[in-house]
Amino acid sequence: ANMEDTVSLPVTFQDINRATENIKTSKHVTRTPLLRADPSRFGIEEEIELYFKMETMQTGGSFKIRGIVNQMENAPKEVKDGDRTLITMSAGNYRRSFAYMCKELNLKGHVLMPITAPQNRVDLIRNYGLHVQQMPSKELKSSVERYVSEQGMLYLHPFDDVNLIAGYGSIGLEILEDLKTVDIILVCCGGGGLLSGIASAIRYSDKGKGTRIIGVEPEGACTMYLSLKKGQPITKGDAKSIAGGLAPPFAGTNTYNIVSQFVDDVILVSDKEIIECVRIMYNNGLVVEPSGVAAFCALKSGKIGDIAGKRVVVTLSGGNVSPQELVELMNA
């Protein structure tokens, strides 16, 4: 696609550059290392130049903080003054970083969580001083809408928000700062926030024109894959995967529009492959959660096609896996 066609996209290069400035000046975000890795140690037979973008080492253990810092920077004055409450619903890492930033910035936050959420995850959010309410998953969306209309809360979307997507674009810009050019970049995809942010940054940059951008989803929660097949964002109520963070029940609309324009392919990996890759990472000294390792799985399982001699960047997007969960995964 040439640049003229992309004018209508929800996130511009200016949005990403502005977000990246906000992130650079925030004391809450670190510029994570791009780690050069020996592919043979990670079970990859081809000779490639392999790099991991280590968002596992990010504040809060995942990339989410980048988007949230930019969301909150762009929130209206009444939110920043503590007169208007923020509300969100989310699985996992977004919720954790949302709670952390509310506490750090002294903002009022309200979090809706499914009844199925483990008690320690609920306590974690409450300990940040936020109000938590649990309900059946299918009621989450309508409850958010009710709080917004009746109590005037501001909803921060956990993956389809333009400020969030622009914040994630900072990862793409950092990769290009470190490497100048990249042949292939592999990104985990749940609702598509990370994938659309990185893809936008790479495509808008002169250096990123020839890069193959590939999203990776779990087979049991392939909402973006199915959306691209159908030509519009779909809902999949039975989305389920060991990679819970990659299993929202629908694809975002903004994220879908960006992914369909900028991403070359979305590839699916199985839960079995995900668990195996968590083990491979751990045995090489890297703690990566199932949702954070999916992109690597696509490479490891040989689903990318022609990679020999290529420079490949893989996002390791999160490391929030407890020792107990790791034991289960290592023994699975």
Side-chain angles (χ1 to χ4, degrees), residues 4 8 11 55-57 78-79 83 120 186 190 211 225 229 259 271 280 294 303:
E4 286 71 54
S8 58
V11 176
E55 287 296 300
T56 51
M57 297 169 73
E78 61 270 21
V79 169
D83 299 327
N120 62 347
L186 300 169
T211 303
Y225 175 85
K229 274 213 169 340
V259 168
D271 278 10
I280 291 170
K303 296 180 180 180

Side-chain angles (χ1 to χ4, degrees), residues 185-206:
I185 182 159
L186 300 169
V187 186
C188 305
C189 179
L194 179 64
L195 178 58
S196 54
I198 291 179
S200 299
I202 301 275
R203 288 288 182 249
Y204 288 140
S205 301
D206 295 332

